[in-house]
Amino acid sequence: MGSSADYERLFNRQRTLHEILGGGLGFMGLIIHAFAGSTVADVILWRQKNLTSGILLVTLSAWVVFEKSGYTLLSLVSSVLLLLMSILFLWAKSAAILNRPAPPLPQLQLSEEMVNEMAASIRSRVNALLSVSQDISLGKDSRLFFKVAAYLLLIYFAGGLTDFLTLSYTSLVMVLTIPALYERCEDYVDKYIMMGYRKLLQLYVKFDEEYLNRFQNWVLEKKKLS
């Protein structure tokens, strides 16, 4: 790979992909860190291969179960919880009768610090979402409006092509594969994307000079004549 200093990084980023994806903790990071001791970026970038592959296998199994068996999410979750609670209950009762050790369960408790961090993370994200919504509703940021509208249209068309479950599974597979592949080849990807971006920018400047400026001049002349 070429040196990262030889050319411009995508989006002029100064941080590594690991830092951008959540090298720190955050809301989802706190949950993953609490149960697996890893960060979101570690999972997405396959730094914890067993955990990432386990997530993919579990979601694939869930997708197959939902698609083939006709189960709904609520019925499946309730069935799994009922089975799990029954096994643990019978295990604990039989262990008490036979003088055997109880089921090795971890302490199922959230610390006050973790709850406060989750609440603060949720609050900051909700406030950011409300701020963006307010800016769009008041017409303060036209560029942001078109960007959000484009995303919503993309989701609308994607939702028309597939169901929510398949879309969710496909999105998860993309999240757990594309960033990891990009990290391995980011030097080449950044280089060629920036080259393509500069060419598109040149075409836009040329189009702006030849057509948009002429159109603006034509409109101004019409206003002067009227």
Side-chain angles (χ1 to χ4, degrees), residues 108-147:
L108 304 177
Q109 185 177 4
L110 292 176
S111 65
E112 184 178 355
E113 180 183 0
M114 184 180 296
V115 172
N116 291 335
E117 289 179 354
M118 287 182 181
S121 179
I122 294 174
R123 175 178 172 274
S124 64
R125 281 163 172 73
V126 170
N127 285 338
L129 178 62
L130 293 176
S131 177
V132 168
S133 302
Q134 185 178 23
D135 290 343
I136 293 175
S137 301
L138 297 178
K140 294 182 179 180
D141 195 334
S142 301
R143 185 176 181 181
L144 182 61
F145 166 76
F146 288 112
K147 186 183 294 185

Side-chain angles (χ1 to χ4, degrees), residues 79-203:
S79 300
V80 171
L81 288 177
L82 177 61
L83 178 62
L84 181 61
M85 290 178 60
S86 300
I87 292 173
L88 293 175
F89 178 79
L90 293 175
W91 185 353
K93 286 296 183 182
S94 60
I97 295 173
L98 301 174
N99 292 323
R100 297 288 185 179
L105 289 176
Q107 185 178 7
L108 304 177
Q109 185 177 4
L110 292 176
S111 65
E112 184 178 355
E113 180 183 0
M114 184 180 296
V115 172
N116 291 335
E117 289 179 354
M118 287 182 181
S121 179
I122 294 174
R123 175 178 172 274
S124 64
R125 281 163 172 73
V126 170
N127 285 338
L129 178 62
L130 293 176
S131 177
V132 168
S133 302
Q134 185 178 23
D135 290 343
I136 293 175
S137 301
L138 297 178
K140 294 182 179 180
D141 195 334
S142 301
R143 185 176 181 181
L144 182 61
F145 166 76
F146 288 112
K147 186 183 294 185
V148 173
Y151 282 131
L152 291 177
L153 284 174
L154 182 62
I155 295 172
Y156 170 79
F157 288 120
L161 296 174
T162 183
D163 59 280
F164 177 75
L165 183 63
T166 303
L167 180 62
S168 300
Y169 175 71
T170 305
S171 301
L172 179 63
V173 171
M174 293 175 64
V175 168
L176 293 180
T177 53
I178 293 178
L181 293 174
Y182 169 74
E183 187 186 37
R184 293 187 177 186
C185 308
E186 62 178 325
D187 289 347
Y188 294 112
V189 173
D190 286 356
K191 178 180 178 181
Y192 290 109
I193 287 182
M194 292 307 299
M195 288 173 58
Y197 170 75
R198 291 190 184 96
K199 289 183 179 180
L200 288 175
L201 192 60
Q202 291 174 357
L203 290 174

